[in-house]
Amino acid sequence: MRIDELKLKAAQIRRATWQMIYQAKTGHTGSDLSCTDILVALYYAVMNQTPETFNDDNRDRYIQSKGHAVEVLYNVLADRGYFPKSDLATYSQYDSPYIGHPTNHVNGIELNTGSLGHGLGLSVGIAKAAKLDHQDYHVYTLMGDGEQAEGSVWEASMAAGSFKLDNLTAIIDHNRLQISGPTAEVMNSEPLADKYRAFGFDVIEIDGNDMAQLVDALETPNTPLRPKLILADTIKGRGISFAENRAEWHHKVPTAAQYQQGLDELDAVIGRLQND
């Protein structure tokens, strides 16, 4: 897909995610909206994986460490055809596999995630397995910036550098907010770029809501023998004016009036992109 098509797709996925959260009356709204562009770039432009190849041994792998942003992941997977879109009407209902964190009972999801700090370690293990098995697939993982306070992240970072995992790309959704406030005030983990470089990563710092920058960073080949970290500066609640950069929208359901205003704003973006 071209960059303009990817931008339109991201706006459409935001709209579908906003709708699903409102209808289910639950969801990590701000977290979903901040990382939408990242998931669209991965699933529609970069990763060597489709619904038809999901069980192939040499497919690329994606691990969503910030599992609470599952609503946008479900919408991307449904739109790509991993399962029918109609399944999402059961989100967060009794006996539905579409629950509030990723589970591998859902087609397209590799592993159960959501306990923050686990995704990078899982991804390091998968990337190391690829090396041992002489496979050439790539492993991608998305973390939150609040998650960087977990010690297991840094154990995994040390292992990634030590094992020289040039088949690993980690991405941080760097929106600077978590459920209880600014990450710098809750538990300051900066300077993240310097820390990852110290562990042996190549670090690319970008605007994580800029589709062209995202695709370029993701498609840039890893330096041989070095894992890659994309520090993606994003806006929490991206696309909904009254939710942007607001910590209280980390996990919040819109009122009927807010829902309609959000739809109107997203529809205006979609309209502009369709007419460009």
Side-chain angles (χ1 to χ4, degrees), residues 74-109:
Y74 286 157
N75 275 282
V76 166
L77 291 174
D79 189 71
R80 291 284 284 118
Y82 285 82
F83 50 81
K85 290 183 180 180
S86 58
D87 284 8
L88 295 182
T90 72
Y91 172 62
S92 205
Q93 294 182 11
Y94 175 71
D95 212 26
S96 171
Y98 302 95
I99 58 176
H101 285 82
T103 166
N104 60 7
H105 292 156
V106 172
N107 190 47
I109 292 179

Side-chain angles (χ1 to χ4, degrees), residues 9-275:
K9 179 60 67 177
Q12 292 168 336
I13 294 292
R14 279 192 173 91
R15 189 185 195 280
T17 302
W18 182 248
Q19 285 183 299
M20 191 174 85
I21 290 170
Y22 179 71
Q23 290 163 2
K25 304 305 179 190
T26 186
H28 285 83
T29 309
S31 300
D32 287 316
L33 298 175
S34 70
C35 67
T36 301
D37 302 296
I38 297 169
L39 291 183
V40 168
L42 281 168
Y43 275 93
Y44 296 83
V46 175
M47 282 204 304
N48 179 28
Q49 185 197 115
T50 67
E52 293 73 30
T53 64
F54 181 65
N55 292 314
D56 291 357
D57 287 344
N58 212 33
R59 71 189 181 280
D60 286 348
R61 270 71 164 175
Y62 172 69
I63 306 297
Q64 184 152 308
S65 191
K66 55 170 289 180
H68 53 281
V70 73
E71 295 86 11
V72 67
L73 176 58
Y74 286 157
N75 275 282
V76 166
L77 291 174
D79 189 71
R80 291 284 284 118
Y82 285 82
F83 50 81
K85 290 183 180 180
S86 58
D87 284 8
L88 295 182
T90 72
Y91 172 62
S92 205
Q93 294 182 11
Y94 175 71
D95 212 26
S96 171
Y98 302 95
I99 58 176
H101 285 82
T103 166
N104 60 7
H105 292 156
V106 172
N107 190 47
I109 292 179
E110 300 281 352
L111 295 168
N112 299 0
T113 57
S115 295
L116 295 179
H118 288 183
L120 184 59
L122 292 169
S123 300
V124 166
I126 296 168
K128 179 63 173 174
K131 295 290 188 181
L132 294 172
D133 291 339
H134 306 290
Q135 299 274 20
D136 60 3
Y137 61 80
H138 204 90
V139 183
Y140 300 88
T141 187
L142 176 65
M143 299 179 283
D145 50 3
E147 182 176 359
Q148 304 305 301
E150 301 285 354
S152 52
V153 169
W154 301 105
E155 292 182 64
S157 299
M158 179 169 57
S162 181
F163 293 144
K164 299 177 173 34
L165 298 179
D166 53 9
N167 59 342
L168 172 67
T169 294
I171 309 154
I172 297 177
D173 182 11
H174 194 220
N175 60 38
R176 297 180 173 83
L177 290 170
Q178 57 193 95
I179 192 168
S180 48
T183 54
E185 296 176 11
V186 176
M187 181 63 70
N188 188 14
S189 56
E190 301 292 346
L192 288 171
D194 292 344
K195 289 178 178 177
Y196 275 92
R197 289 188 181 105
F199 279 100
F201 283 72
D202 280 335
V203 177
I204 302 176
E205 300 181 64
I206 63 167
D207 178 345
N209 295 130
D210 183 300
M211 191 61 70
Q213 290 186 41
L214 273 168
V215 172
D216 183 64
L218 287 163
E219 290 186 338
T220 298
N222 286 42
T223 302
L225 306 180
R226 294 177 69 88
K228 179 167 65 180
L229 184 282
I230 298 174
L231 188 60
D233 288 334
T234 60
I235 296 174
K236 201 174 189 83
R238 172 77 173 191
I240 306 292
S241 61
F242 52 86
E244 289 189 349
N245 287 317
R246 301 289 295 272
E248 62 266 31
W249 277 92
H250 178 89
H251 186 285
K252 186 174 181 178
V253 177
T255 64
Q258 289 171 329
Y259 172 64
Q260 188 58 55
Q261 181 181 341
L263 280 185
D264 292 343
E265 291 181 6
L266 292 168
D267 284 342
V269 172
I270 290 169
R272 287 196 300 272
L273 291 169
Q274 288 174 331
N275 292 323

